[in-house]
């Protein structure tokens, strides 16, 4: 119930507490429905509505579809009869609800949201891809509750059922679904003995394998991170076959060199999490950041099953949040500092820690200054450099991991990986991310063995490093 003036008005769309401030979007939809309810029943008016009335009718029909399942088909027929914008405004309202209100929606409204999304697929509505992507972002990581498993199952089923329509009209959204379900499947495979997850895993495998077997060229549009996700699934026979096929039948070096679009890194980050991360890294000063970090931890990362999110968060920060020069020069919490904190949170789980480090360094391995963005590799460089004085164990751990990756990530393409890492070091020096590579090569706090390995790597890939430069 919500208080509105002197009246208590029930919302059929969302769950609300007594003293909660009314949500503007929900209020606008409900008021449109209440004021236009007589016009929402057949026979419908044959008059063409004016622009303002058209918007109000769309709002009313959205509310009717989501709150009145018995009349949903009538409402949709009404919409089909009056639509004049390719369903753009109607779909934008659905997107707004998924972004702002999804967590508060009553269960029946969530069910209607899936139904009406299928209707929008059927008419190829303008903005459909945004709607599907935001629904994918609503699948929680490390959440095996009934509601989340239901949403995941409904969406993977939707992508299978609507395959032909989506392939014809919105093929790129299938790559978003593939990215999301590969990541979720890797997480679900870590859990055994949960009956409701077994059927979900079968559906996820079915969809992902179908994508690879029938639309490999489409899959490859994801770029290099497709291989990072597959690495977590090669223990499953279906994906081991796909992995082997890729390395036999495709030019893997071209995939490595293909940068993954930033839109994919949003897929495992909820809208609320994105808002908070952008706030932390755009407004909070270093020194007053700890209480904000603790709040973020309690809100999004409580429980060991949530740790898998750390991998996605670090990749998101590296590849999506690129602060302006003004913020970089200010006292605002830098990306490397919060990533250092996330790394510390992952230390007691080796699988998560390795995943976080790979997410941090992945673009280093294939870096090409003509294609790749220095901002994707900057956080790792600064974390290594700034940890030297007080946290040399972090510097050592990161350099050891990076140099180990050069030798083990892909032995058939070791030269490509070594060249990528060497290019990254040269570029961070050239662009002034670090003043000089001497911070790594001549620093007594960095162990000699690591300095020598790094010097050899740089020397063998275009950077002549004097022996004197390495502190023996």
């Amino acid at each position: 119930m919500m208080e509105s003036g002197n009246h208590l008005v029930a919302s059929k769309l969302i769950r609300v507490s007594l003293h909660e401030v009314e949500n503007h979007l929900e209020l606008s939809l409900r008021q449109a429905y209440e004021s236009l309810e007589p016009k929402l029943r057949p026979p419908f008016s044959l008059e063409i509505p004016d622009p303002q009335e058209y918007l109000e009718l769309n709002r009313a029909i959205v509310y009717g579809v989501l709150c009145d399942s018995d009349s949903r088909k009538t409402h949709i027929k009404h919409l089909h009869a009056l639509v004049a914008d390719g369903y753009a405004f109607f779909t934008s309202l659905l997107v707004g609800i998924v972004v702002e209100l999804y967590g508060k929606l009553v269960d029946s409204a969530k069910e209607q949201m899936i139904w009406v999304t299928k209707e929008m697929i059927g008419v190829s509505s303008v903005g459909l891809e945004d709607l599907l992507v935001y629904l994918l972002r609503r699948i929680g990581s490390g959440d095996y509750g009934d509601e989340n498993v239901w949403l995941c199952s409904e969406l993977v089923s939707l992508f299978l059922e609507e395959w032909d329509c989506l392939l014809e009209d919105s093929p790129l959204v299938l790559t978003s679904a593939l990215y999301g379900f590969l990541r979720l499947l890797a997480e679900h495979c870590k859990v055994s003995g949960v009956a409701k997850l077994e059927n979900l895993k079968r559906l996820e495998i079915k969809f992902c394998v179908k994508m690879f077997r029938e639309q490999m060229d489409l899959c490859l549009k994801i770029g290099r991170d497709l291989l990072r996700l597959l690495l977590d699934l090669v223990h499953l026979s279906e994906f081991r076959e796909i992995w082997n096929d890729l390395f036999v039948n495709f030019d893997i070096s071209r995939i490595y060199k293909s940068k993954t679009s930033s839109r994919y890194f949003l897929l495992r980050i909820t809208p609320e999490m994105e808002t908070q991360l952008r706030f932390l890294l755009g407004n909070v000063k270093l020194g007053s950041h700890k209480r904000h970090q603790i709040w973020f931890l309690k809100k999004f990362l409580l429980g060991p099953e949530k740790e898998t999110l750390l991998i996605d968060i670090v990749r998101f920060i590296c590849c999506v949040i690129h602060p302006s020069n003004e913020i970089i020069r200010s006292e605002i919490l830098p990306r490397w500092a919060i990533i250092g904190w996330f790394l510390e949170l992952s230390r007691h789980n080796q699988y998560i820690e390795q995943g976080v480090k790979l997410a941090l360094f992945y673009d280093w391995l294939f870096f090409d200054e003509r294609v790749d963005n220095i901002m994707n590799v900057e956080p790792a460089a600064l974390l290594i450099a700034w940890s030297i004085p007080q946290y040399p164990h972090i510097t050592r751990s990161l350099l050891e991991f990076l140099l180990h990756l050069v030798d083990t990530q892909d032995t058939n393409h070791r030269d490509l990986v070594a060249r990528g890492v060497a290019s990254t070091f040269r570029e961070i020096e050239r662009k002034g991310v670090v003043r000089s590579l001497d911070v790594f090569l001549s620093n007594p706090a960095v162990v000699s063995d690591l300095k020598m390995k790094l010097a050899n790597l740089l020397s063998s890939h275009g950077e002549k490093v004097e022996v004197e430069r390495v502190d023996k």
Side-chain angles (χ1 to χ4, degrees), residues 398-410:
L398 290 174
L399 282 176
E400 281 177 347
F401 182 84
L402 178 59
L403 294 169
H404 181 68
L405 279 179
V406 171
D407 291 329
T408 61
Q409 176 66 21
D410 183 347

Side-chain angles (χ1 to χ4, degrees), residues 408-462:
T408 61
Q409 176 66 21
D410 183 347
T411 52
N412 292 323
H413 294 85
R414 186 192 180 282
D415 193 62
L416 183 149
V417 173
R419 197 162 58 245
V421 173
S423 296
T424 305
F425 275 110
R426 284 197 299 275
E427 193 68 1
I428 63 175
E429 183 179 52
R430 192 175 75 81
K431 289 278 180 71
V433 174
V434 295
R435 190 176 65 256
S436 164
L437 294 185
D438 286 343
V439 73
F440 309 117
L441 293 164
S442 301
N443 197 311
V446 180
V447 294
S448 297
D449 181 46
L450 286 176
K451 286 187 282 195
M452 191 60 72
K453 284 182 180 176
L454 180 54
N456 288 340
L457 175 71
L458 294 171
S459 294
S460 58
H461 289 86

Side-chain angles (χ1 to χ4, degrees), residues 141-142 144 183-184 186-191 228 232 297 301 303-315 339-361 397-398 401:
S141 290
Y144 310 120
R183 190 72 189 90
L184 286 161
E187 176 189 314
H188 296 158
C189 285
K190 298 285 177 193
V191 181
R228 181 177 65 87
D232 271 343
L297 177 70
L301 297 171
E305 65 281 356
K306 297 283 188 186
E307 289 176 344
T308 184
L309 263 171
L310 294 170
I311 298 167
D312 301 297
I313 290 172
V314 168
R315 200 81 186 106
I339 288 173
W341 177 60
F342 289 136
L343 195 57
E344 286 294 299
L345 291 178
S346 74
R347 281 183 70 191
H348 62 280
N349 183 323
Q350 189 179 11
Y351 166 75
I352 300 295
E353 184 182 18
Q354 300 288 308
V356 167
K357 287 177 180 175
L358 185 60
L360 180 61
F361 282 121
S397 166
L398 290 174
F401 182 84

